[in-house]
Amino acid sequence: MNKKENLKNLILRLHTGENQDQVKEEFKRDFGHISSSQIAKLEAELIRDGMAVEEIQRLCNVHAEIFTGDQSELHFLDQVDQELGHPLHVFRKENYGLVMFLKETFQPLFAAYKKDFDPTIKVDLLAEVKELEKITKHYTRKEMLFFPYLEKAGVQGISQVMWGKDDEIRALLKETNSSLDGKDLVEKIDQVLEEVNSMIVKENDILSPLLLKNIKRKDWIEIAKSSGEIGYAFTGGLEGASPSDSINWLEKAQTGLGVDQAEENLDQAKILEGQTIYFPSGAVDYKDLVAMLNTYPQDITFIDKEDKVVYFSEGKNPVFPRTRTIIGRDVRNCHPPKAILVVNQLLEDFKAGKKDVENRFMKKGNKIFLIRYFAVRDDQEVYVGTLETTEEISEILDLVAGA
């Protein structure tokens, strides 16, 4: 049996409820010392063969718990661990800060609550759960900034599997609230801690080497430019991981790009500056067009006929975080795994001419968002892409209600 079939067999055995300890022993025996690249390749092959991402997630915690990996990868990571402010250095430091937060603040409070379920301690504990939710910024940077470059480098599978695990953690954190009490709350927090700690291992030992091997210097610069927009977590007081460290690294890295690369970037940035864009219904200066699109109250995203994100507007208050790293990315990879079936169906319906538009509403707190999708067709009615618009409409609804 080859390694792919062996991995598939272990996943299927977990699916049928086999004892995890037995599976761990076999995984350690057969996979414990392969590289992170090999693990990613095997997972991608299983997904291409039709295995659901959710099934592969079943084994994710198992191989994270006992993964030792190729020892050469540990030396490979030394370079970034010494480069203060590098996006991956900051990312790994966030995990260190998270470990310290759990050890010094969260765990002692959790242990105190477990003794007698004191309601006063519960209030403090839930406040720290809210603090722990800041880790979702860390996950969002990974999903929006790191994964696109892995996919462009041909590393498939791991981003879908890991994003799925991130969403599991997000859901568990949301479920850990005041509606739970006593043993129910303890059980939920235990689940959160297990998944969060397992993700730290996955990111440090499996994802980090893949990122260093597949992301180029100029791409790390683009990642650094967008990181601050999403935000950081658990880096307070950590040398080399503050926002100012990130800015300093970016400034030095841009200086070190070299004359040729700098000129190429400048040419790309000014390719249309000062020119007029002519339309059948008028003409607009390029700079005015950019300002107009970014002023429009709706966020605009255009996905071409190959399902690649080719444009998005950059307004002041975007509904969803979007960074320039998503340009050229398959739109499916811009959504969590649980949404892939819905995205696929929408694209299929648009391309087949079954639909021209789809509207959805989303509520978050007191805010209501309208998300609209339009099939874009040329004058011959040939599908050329999909236009997505999003807008926060609660104020508009209030105006309507008061009219």
Side-chain angles (χ1 to χ4, degrees):
M1 186 183 294
N2 62 35
K3 284 191 177 293
K4 183 175 76 172
E5 289 301 318
N6 196 352
L7 188 64
K8 181 178 180 180
N9 180 53
L10 291 176
I11 291 171
L12 292 175
R13 284 163 56 190
L14 282 174
H15 177 77
T16 59
E18 185 163 333
N19 184 279
Q20 265 200 14
D21 292 335
Q22 178 63 32
V23 174
K24 285 178 186 177
E25 285 303 312
E26 292 191 33
F27 183 89
K28 187 172 184 178
R29 182 191 69 204
D30 297 333
F31 296 95
H33 295 284
I34 68 172
S35 69
S36 55
S37 298
Q38 288 173 298
I39 285 182
K41 183 178 178 182
L42 288 169
E43 290 181 346
E45 288 178 0
L46 288 176
I47 292 172
R48 283 196 296 270
D49 289 348
M51 179 170 279
V53 172
E54 291 79 8
E55 291 299 328
I56 297 174
Q57 286 171 207
R58 292 176 184 272
L59 192 66
C60 203
N61 285 8
V62 173
H63 69 59
E65 186 173 330
I66 54 87
F67 178 73
T68 56
D70 186 335
Q71 293 302 306
S72 65
E73 292 183 334
L74 300 179
H75 300 296
F76 190 57
L77 286 168
D78 286 345
Q79 58 181 281
V80 76
D81 285 338
Q82 302 303 316
E83 200 170 346
L84 307 186
H86 185 291
L88 185 54
H89 174 85
V90 174
F91 186 74
R92 289 163 62 80
K93 278 286 190 178
E94 280 179 308
N95 277 335
Y96 175 78
L98 173 60
V99 169
M100 291 298 101
F101 165 74
L102 292 175
K103 180 181 178 181
E104 297 173 0
T105 304
F106 196 94
Q107 289 284 15
L109 198 57
F110 186 36
Y113 178 73
K114 285 193 286 188
K115 286 182 180 178
D116 53 12
F117 306 141
D118 186 328
T120 304
I121 296 177
K122 176 186 172 181
V123 173
D124 293 336
L125 180 59
L126 289 177
E128 296 305 335
V129 169
K130 280 293 181 186
E131 185 71 15
L132 182 56
E133 285 182 4
K134 291 180 179 178
I135 198 60
T136 57
K137 293 181 180 179
H138 173 92
Y139 296 153
T140 300
R141 288 208 327 281
K142 173 179 60 176
E143 295 153 1
M144 302 301 294
L145 303 181
F146 295 173
F147 289 167
Y149 287 110
L150 281 185
E151 291 154 12
K152 288 175 185 177
V155 181
Q156 303 292 333
I158 190 169
S159 57
Q160 292 172 283
V161 174
M162 198 168 277
W163 195 340
K165 297 301 290 185
D166 292 344
D167 277 350
E168 286 182 11
I169 294 171
R170 289 184 176 104
L172 286 169
L173 284 167
K174 190 175 289 187
E175 293 163 7
T176 308
N177 53 49
S178 58
S179 65
L180 296 176
D181 217 338
K183 291 182 179 179
D184 291 335
L185 179 58
V186 167
E187 183 179 332
K188 188 64 68 175
I189 291 177
D190 277 332
Q191 287 180 275
V192 170
L193 294 177
E194 180 183 354
E195 293 297 336
V196 167
N197 283 310
S198 180
M199 183 54 71
I200 291 171
V201 176
K202 296 183 189 84
E203 291 176 345
N204 286 349
D205 296 349
I206 299 174
L207 179 63
S208 292
L210 282 173
L211 294 172
L212 272 186
K213 288 178 181 177
N214 290 283
I215 297 183
K216 299 175 183 177
R217 185 75 170 181
K218 63 184 182 66
D219 297 330
W220 281 119
I221 290 172
E222 289 304 313
I223 289 170
K225 288 178 182 177
S226 299
S227 292
E229 298 172 19
I230 297 173
Y232 305 94
F234 301 105
T235 59
L238 296 181
E239 183 181 3
S242 70
S244 60
D245 289 318
S246 300
I247 292 170
N248 289 337
W249 180 88
L250 177 59
E251 290 174 350
K252 291 178 182 177
Q254 287 177 311
T255 302
L257 264 180
V259 176
D260 292 341
Q261 182 65 52
E263 288 181 349
E264 179 186 336
N265 290 349
L266 189 62
D267 289 342
Q268 289 176 351
K270 293 190 173 183
I271 193 166
L272 286 173
E273 188 172 314
Q275 294 190 26
T276 300
I277 311 298
Y278 291 90
F279 300 96
S281 55
V284 184
D285 179 85
Y286 166 75
K287 292 173 72 174
D288 292 344
L289 178 62
V290 171
M292 180 177 71
L293 290 169
N294 290 343
T295 303
Y296 192 64
Q298 297 176 340
D299 294 344
I300 305 168
T301 306
F302 183 62
I303 298 102
D304 69 10
K305 62 183 178 182
E306 303 298 330
D307 305 333
K308 299 290 193 297
V309 179
V310 295
Y311 169 80
F312 65 89
S313 58
E314 297 180 291
K316 293 180 180 178
N317 300 297
V319 173
F320 301 116
R322 296 173 300 174
T323 61
R324 295 180 183 183
T325 54
I326 69 170
I327 298 301
R329 193 180 189 190
D330 189 301
V331 67
R332 296 169 187 80
N333 293 332
C334 297
H335 293 79
K338 62 185 178 183
I340 300 301
L341 288 176
V342 176
V343 174
N344 279 334
Q345 189 62 58
L346 178 64
L347 292 173
E348 287 175 14
D349 289 345
F350 279 0
K351 292 176 182 178
K354 294 180 180 179
K355 280 185 180 180
D356 287 319
V357 62
E358 183 161 325
N359 300 317
R360 292 180 189 159
F361 290 93
M362 181 181 75
K363 189 170 183 180
K364 188 175 183 181
N366 293 319
K367 294 183 176 181
I368 299 173
F369 302 95
L370 173 62
I371 307 167
R372 309 190 74 191
Y373 304 90
F374 302 89
V376 181
R377 308 187 196 280
D378 63 18
D379 54 8
Q380 302 298 314
E381 289 301 308
V382 175
Y383 174 83
V384 296
T386 294
L387 176 69
E388 175 189 326
T389 68
T390 58
E391 184 177 6
E392 201 277 294
I393 61 168
S394 51
E395 287 188 7
I396 296 174
L397 292 176
D398 288 341
L399 285 173
V400 173

